[in-house]
Amino acid sequence: MARKFTPKVLTTNDLMEGDVIYLARDDGWTREFTEARLFLDETEANAALARIDARRDLHVGAYLADAEADDRGRPRPVHFRERFRATGPSNYYHGKQAKTDHVPIQ
């Protein structure tokens, strides 16, 4: 039996900078999980993944990650892996980690 579709965000890694990026609501890219497009429809999510995955010259490893909407309707990571990726590099305090208001950890 197929699993029921749950909300997703499309994520990948920027090849030039190495940072985690997300497909934004305007079909551009964002480094902030909360600004990512939240897919509620499986067909739309898979179509976006196929379109984006064809551009491997700009990014690598695109996939759909489980998410849920917060109380403002913004995406929030569901699994530890995505919370970890959304907060940025863990080797020292820089980039996304230097911000205090980015990804709300449950």
Side-chain angles (χ1 to χ4, degrees):
M1 176 184 228
R3 290 177 61 187
K4 180 182 174 198
F5 182 80
T6 58
K8 310 273 189 239
V9 297
L10 195 155
T11 183
T12 187
N13 289 80
D14 183 295
L15 276 176
M16 297 303 292
E17 296 182 23
D19 205 3
V20 175
I21 54 176
Y22 306 93
L23 186 66
R25 291 181 275 283
D26 65 359
D27 279 340
W29 294 105
T30 180
R31 286 170 168 66
E32 303 299 326
F33 198 100
T34 57
E35 295 173 4
R37 178 178 175 186
L38 186 62
F39 288 94
L40 303 175
D41 179 82
E42 184 173 15
T43 302
E44 287 180 28
N46 288 329
L49 178 60
R51 185 180 77 247
I52 296 306
D53 200 36
R55 293 299 316 263
R56 292 185 185 160
D57 58 323
L58 302 175
H59 53 76
V60 64
Y63 66 94
L64 296 169
D66 290 332
E68 61 188 7
D70 68 10
D71 58 351
R72 293 190 226 166
R74 299 177 308 181
R76 175 173 55 201
V78 172
H79 298 290
F80 170 78
R81 176 183 185 199
E82 297 313 319
R83 288 194 304 264
F84 186 80
R85 290 179 79 237
T87 57
S90 60
N91 56 348
Y92 59 93
Y93 195 68
H94 68 285
K96 293 178 186 177
Q97 289 181 345
K99 294 175 68 178
T100 59
D101 62 347
H102 57 294
V103 177
I105 305 297
Q106 298 180 30

